[in-house]
Amino acid sequence: MKSVKFYFSLLIAAVMFVMPLQAQENQLAEPVEGEMIETPATEANEGIMLIDEAVEVVEEVAEVAVETVAAPVQGSEGRDNNDIDKDFSVGKAIGDFVGQAGFKGLVDDWRFAVMILVSFLLLYLAIVKKFEPLLLMPIAFGMLLTNLPGAGMFHSELFAGGHVHWEDFALGSGVGLLDYLYLGVKLGIYPCLIFIGVGAMTDFGPLIANPKSFLLGAAAQLGIFATFIGAYALGFAPNECGSIGIIGGADGPTSIFLTARLAPELLGPIAIAAYSYMALVPVIQPPIMRALTTQNERLIKMKQLRQVSKTEKILFPVIITIVIALLLPSAAPLVGCLMLGNLMKECGVVDRLAKTVQNELMNIVVIFLGISVGATATGDSFLNIKTIFILCLGILAFSAGSAGGVLLAKLMNVFAKEGNKINPLIGSAGVSAVPMAARVSQTVGQEYDRSNFLLMHAMGPNVAGVVGSAVAAGILLAFLG
């Protein structure tokens, strides 16, 4: 600070020296009438006097500068350089650095290391085994990020009590990157955006051509309510039972949408269970389908579906949105976004928007959704007995949902005329794992008759299951939210 004063004083001294000389030049250039003109000798004497005064000022400033440089540097607490050198220790600095490193956190809390190993397992399943890699891989990496000690990327206390603590976000201190991304999950933004993309990629033609498929899609939601009862019997709270039961809908975004509202503390285990079991549909469903059907039922050939007009495809999303929103307003966000995306696809006048929601928007949201959901899988919320129960109940939910569709198809055949019977194998496609469940029906059917093509027939209950799971989520939200 004093060095600044030194240079400033020099500047003042220079100005003091120059200004009088300049004034004298002006006086000489314009002499006043009647005034004696000074001689050059007089001017020289006055200039010498001014220079002497300036030198004196500069000398005084220089003395202050020398004192400033010679004085010891004072710390914030009045310590000089010698004190600071005494306090500084290389060993202490290294100790502080090690104490701040994440390795200490791994030693202090073993759950961090376990969760990191779990994230490695999920990465292996996603990358090597290709189990729902588009979502399981971001979820696994989000789990890895949130369990790195000291990184501070996610803070569950900001969402404690099921509410967003906006005052902490307003302050901005102690808020990590994943905290901001998780707001899209907590506010229900990401699942709805994904449903727009799903709608834009869905063809409701098979469902429109065969409206009975709606019943099969509804029957497959049996797993949701059966699991609700099972979870309640195990001692879960009603809101937790609803979140666990929705796994049976085989719809990841719907599971996340509902769980974020009813039981956010279970979001990590439920999302991982939902997407893991969706990837295991080809493993879970075939034994159930074979166990509940006879040889003759698997050989049933269904009539070719009628052609659906463009007008029907345009009116369908509008009518469904109005009917469901009026009957069950809590399901309007999911169903409305689903039908909006489908209308973009079918109307034919916003192809650019339809392609955007199918690709760019869908991909971006999937990344944010996966990382955010994975961030909730901390040691506190994941490494407990509830997680084991959730994983077991998830299998029950999938199995009951698949069985519900098959059994209803068998019941419908009791009242159907010959030639209009339904192959019960397509009933298992009522779970909303689109289009995987429909492909499983096709694969199992062709094991017994290579000429039996069930894929388009199975797509009817499959897309009906998407609507059905959203409606079931709306029902649970209305009763438990």
Side-chain angles (χ1 to χ4, degrees), residues 414-432:
V414 174
F415 304 97
K417 296 180 180 179
E418 195 65 35
N420 291 325
K421 292 187 180 295
I422 301 172
N423 191 317
L425 294 177
I426 71 170
S428 63
V431 295
S432 59

Side-chain angles (χ1 to χ4, degrees), residues 149-469:
M153 302 189 73
F154 181 77
H155 304 84
S156 57
E157 58 271 17
L158 295 176
F159 309 95
H163 305 287
V164 179
H165 295 269
W166 293 109
E167 63 277 7
D168 296 326
F169 280 93
L171 295 175
S173 58
V175 182
L177 170 64
L178 298 182
D179 294 321
Y180 291 107
L181 294 181
Y182 182 69
L183 288 174
V185 176
K186 186 63 181 175
L187 301 177
I189 297 173
Y190 297 153
C192 291
L193 291 178
I194 285 183
F195 258 55
I196 296 177
V198 171
M201 295 186 289
T202 301
D203 181 13
F204 286 104
L207 178 59
I208 300 172
N210 186 13
K212 291 185 293 185
S213 299
F214 258 121
L215 298 176
L216 299 177
Q221 310 313 313
L222 172 66
I224 295 176
F225 300 100
T227 306
F228 179 94
I229 298 173
Y232 189 76
L234 290 174
F236 284 92
N239 60 317
E240 295 176 334
C241 295
S243 298
I244 296 171
I246 200 64
I247 298 175
D251 193 329
T254 302
S255 300
I256 293 170
F257 179 84
L258 184 65
T259 305
R261 282 162 171 72
L262 296 183
E265 69 278 3
L266 300 180
L267 183 58
I270 287 177
I272 292 171
Y275 284 107
S276 298
Y277 294 147
M278 283 174 62
L280 293 174
V281 164
V283 178
I284 298 173
Q285 284 192 332
I288 299 172
M289 297 161 67
R290 297 187 186 99
L292 297 178
T293 56
T294 64
Q295 177 79 12
N296 292 333
E297 287 175 331
R298 297 176 208 138
L299 295 174
I300 293 176
K301 289 188 177 181
M302 300 176 64
K303 293 182 179 179
Q304 184 176 358
L305 297 174
R306 68 174 180 87
Q307 189 72 25
V308 178
S309 67
K310 183 176 181 179
T311 302
E312 290 177 296
K313 290 186 176 182
I314 293 175
L315 292 176
F316 179 82
V318 177
I319 295 172
I320 291 295
T321 301
I322 294 173
V323 172
I324 293 180
L326 292 177
L327 290 175
L328 194 62
S330 56
L334 289 177
V335 175
C337 289
L338 178 70
M339 295 304 162
L340 170 62
N342 186 250
L343 184 60
M344 288 180 180
K345 170 181 178 289
E346 300 297 350
C347 68
V349 295
V350 288
D351 289 341
R352 188 171 65 183
L353 296 181
K355 291 178 181 178
T356 299
V357 298
Q358 290 177 28
N359 298 287
E360 290 82 2
L361 178 64
M362 187 83 160
N363 294 335
I364 292 172
V365 175
V366 163
I367 294 172
F368 290 164
L369 177 68
I371 294 176
S372 304
V373 169
T376 65
T378 60
D380 293 334
S381 64
F382 198 86
L383 298 178
N384 51 59
I385 192 64
K386 284 187 176 181
T387 300
I388 299 175
F389 284 150
I390 289 171
L391 295 176
C392 296
L393 290 169
I395 296 178
L396 172 64
F398 263 77
S399 302
S402 302
V406 174
L407 293 175
L408 181 62
K410 291 168 67 73
L411 179 61
M412 291 171 66
N413 283 341
V414 174
F415 304 97
K417 296 180 180 179
E418 195 65 35
N420 291 325
K421 292 187 180 295
I422 301 172
N423 191 317
L425 294 177
I426 71 170
S428 63
V431 295
S432 59
V434 181
M436 190 180 302
R439 290 175 179 166
V440 171
S441 298
Q442 165 77 2
T443 301
V444 175
Q446 290 207 326
E447 289 178 1
Y448 300 93
D449 185 352
R450 300 293 297 176
S451 64
N452 196 2
F453 296 97
L454 298 174
L455 181 60
M456 292 309 297
H457 298 286
M459 283 302 298
N462 204 186
V463 296
V466 179
V467 180
S469 64

